[in-house]
Amino acid sequence: MNLDEWIRARARTEEPTLPEDWEEWVERTLAQLPERKQRRMTGVGRRVLTAAAVCAMLGVGALAYAVGVLDFLNGREEYRFLGQAELYREYARKAGYTQRAANGDELTVEYLAADANFCTIFYTMRTEEPMQPWSQRDWHPISPDAPDLWQAQNLAPRFTLEVSGAMVGEDQDGQQYLLDEHTLCGMARLTLKEAGALERGGEISLAAGPSLESWDSGDWGEIPWEEVELWHFSLDLEPMAGKTVALDGPAALGERQVEKLSLTVSPLGAVLRCRVTVPEEYQSEPDRWGGLGRFIVRDSESGVYYPYTILTSQPTEDGAYWEETYLLCGDLTKIESLELLPAELESTFTSVELGELPYRGQGAYTFAVFSISEGWMTLTLTPTGTVGNTGYCGGVAEFQNRARERLFVDEDATDLYQNRYTDERTGGVTYTWSLDQEAQTKAEEIAVLRILEEWYEPLEGPSIIIPLASEK
């Protein structure tokens, strides 16, 4: 019996009785929550509170088991910053796969979303041995007040996707949360190595291994982390199709010789895949050359620039080529063709008073809104200029008071834990900083942001045209 079944069984035999004033308590509690916490529970607040009460009555702290991991994530503000919440509500399908490993650890794959570019897994993992948040680990522990995403670093299981025994996806990104010391829930997105890899027939299987943290602390002998497998699921998947356009042959992007390039537009996102030739003199150290280098993407007709996020980047085994995948942000459905141009990155520092926001200077992004709420500072940036890689959107170098004195720099200053999120629908970026009580007081003094502005300048040289009208 897995934990989900155990909860349901306990609920059937020990039906909880909610107090008569339960509805009034829910309304009062929601009304009293700080603004930050109210936003985090938008859409599922009542459901989460009710589920929490039921779990407490049953002696279980695993909230996500009661509401489902997808609803749990939808209630997290940082998850919604990624711009994918509505997408997965529409396309994620109930999976319901559960396995217990030989060591007693149990993994449940609750939902799956798959198309020509991605396979996203929504999961819950329950372990026999307690998992330690980062603040309790021996290696460089962080503050107990650090954000949830920091506390759960390196605790996610490692997923790989195979078709008929051939690996088609292993590079993952995502979010994960510790619900208690034995329970972790989250999402993991695997980028497919080849577009449409799940649509070509054959048995689709999902393997999962231990988290990096448990592997580091466990006794696995000489087996590398990448080869340890604890769970193996045969999946019944119906991936959504995509539309692909590929170059007929090699092309040049500035100094880069592009051996292959394709763009696949699918429901979960538009992915650019490329293979770049590494010059012979760099093949012993191919990372000195890399892939496409610095470039920008624009609509060939309107000249509108589209931001992108890098997904994977690595050389081939022989070092002769560099392979990369990029996620293009924005709506590409009405575009006739895209142009890739070589570019160089420019930057400058600027001081901006809070009253001057929104601020658009030379940078590719407008510094739109800065806000301070209980426990958090938040800065939103919107793409408005010559944008490229969203990793170069600019940011805050210093927080200053009205006297232009730097804040949070004393030797005994509290740590500010920064997180950065990219809205994959638009390329907009959100920064957050966590605040403890001491930092909260200091944050009220902020009057000036010393910001880094970044933008791209197109270069002369060969460009690449991708004719989207010829999608197949």
Side-chain angles (χ1 to χ4, degrees), residues 122-187:
F122 295 86
Y123 65 90
T124 305
M125 180 177 69
R126 183 166 177 81
T127 62
E128 288 290 308
E129 295 296 323
M131 292 176 280
Q132 287 187 322
W134 193 351
S135 58
Q136 297 177 17
R137 300 173 200 167
D138 294 333
W139 187 81
H140 297 296
I142 60 176
S143 167
D145 296 323
D148 296 341
L149 286 175
W150 283 70
Q151 298 288 5
Q153 283 287 324
N154 293 337
L155 293 180
R158 174 190 50 81
F159 292 98
T160 56
L161 195 63
E162 297 180 350
V163 176
S164 300
M167 196 273 293
V168 297
E170 63 175 345
D171 296 290
Q172 70 185 57
D173 54 42
Q175 294 184 340
Q176 58 280 328
Y177 299 89
L178 269 174
L179 303 181
D180 58 50
E181 63 181 2
H182 293 281
T183 311
L184 181 91
C185 77
M187 61 163 287

Side-chain angles (χ1 to χ4, degrees), residues 189-430:
R189 182 177 65 181
L190 306 184
T191 303
L192 301 185
K193 288 184 173 295
E194 295 183 12
L198 301 178
E199 306 170 45
R200 298 167 188 167
E203 180 184 359
I204 302 174
S205 60
L206 178 70
S211 69
L212 186 59
E213 180 67 21
S214 65
W215 183 81
D216 280 342
S217 59
D219 183 13
W220 306 98
E222 299 298 322
I223 306 176
W225 174 58
E226 295 84 357
E227 297 179 14
V228 178
E229 182 178 303
L230 296 179
W231 305 275
H232 194 98
F233 305 94
S234 293
L235 303 183
D236 181 15
L237 270 182
E238 293 184 4
M240 297 171 286
K243 297 180 179 180
T244 299
V245 59
L247 297 186
D248 294 333
L253 181 64
E255 297 179 346
R256 311 284 165 153
Q257 297 302 309
V258 182
E259 182 71 16
K260 294 181 180 179
L261 187 141
S262 67
L263 176 65
T264 300
V265 180
S266 63
L268 299 181
V271 173
L272 183 74
R273 292 174 173 85
C274 67
R275 170 180 275 205
V276 178
T277 300
V278 176
E280 186 174 350
E281 61 268 30
Y282 289 96
Q283 289 183 11
S284 61
E285 298 180 275
D287 56 323
R288 291 178 56 203
W289 183 257
L292 290 179
R294 289 172 177 161
F295 68 98
I296 49 181
V297 181
R298 69 183 180 191
D299 184 331
S300 301
E301 294 186 359
S302 69
V304 172
Y305 292 93
Y306 286 84
Y308 58 84
T309 297
I310 191 164
L311 296 170
T312 65
S313 179
Q314 63 275 319
T316 56
E317 283 191 25
D318 59 8
Y321 299 97
W322 196 281
E323 296 178 332
E324 293 181 320
T325 58
Y326 296 88
L327 176 70
L328 300 190
C329 306
D331 184 6
L332 306 180
T333 56
K334 298 180 181 179
I335 297 176
E336 291 292 324
S337 63
L338 285 176
E339 184 179 13
L340 276 61
L341 300 93
E344 60 183 5
L345 185 66
E346 302 286 354
S347 63
T348 187
F349 286 97
T350 307
S351 294
V352 179
E353 296 184 4
L354 296 188
E356 296 178 299
L357 299 178
Y359 171 81
R360 181 179 179 182
Q362 299 180 71
Y365 279 73
T366 293
F367 286 69
V369 179
F370 177 76
S371 63
I372 302 172
S373 57
E374 184 176 346
W376 294 95
M377 299 189 297
T378 304
L379 173 68
T380 58
L381 284 71
T382 56
T384 48
T386 312
V387 295
N389 188 334
T390 60
Y392 299 100
C393 62
V396 176
E398 295 174 1
F399 297 99
Q400 301 177 353
N401 60 20
R402 292 191 180 281
R404 300 297 175 102
E405 298 169 330
R406 292 188 301 162
L407 303 172
F408 308 111
V409 293
D410 299 334
E411 290 186 3
D412 57 348
T414 183
D415 291 327
L416 291 182
Y417 292 93
Q418 176 182 291
N419 281 316
R420 180 181 175 280
Y421 310 93
T422 299
D423 186 329
E424 295 180 352
R425 299 167 301 179
T426 65
V429 173
T430 301

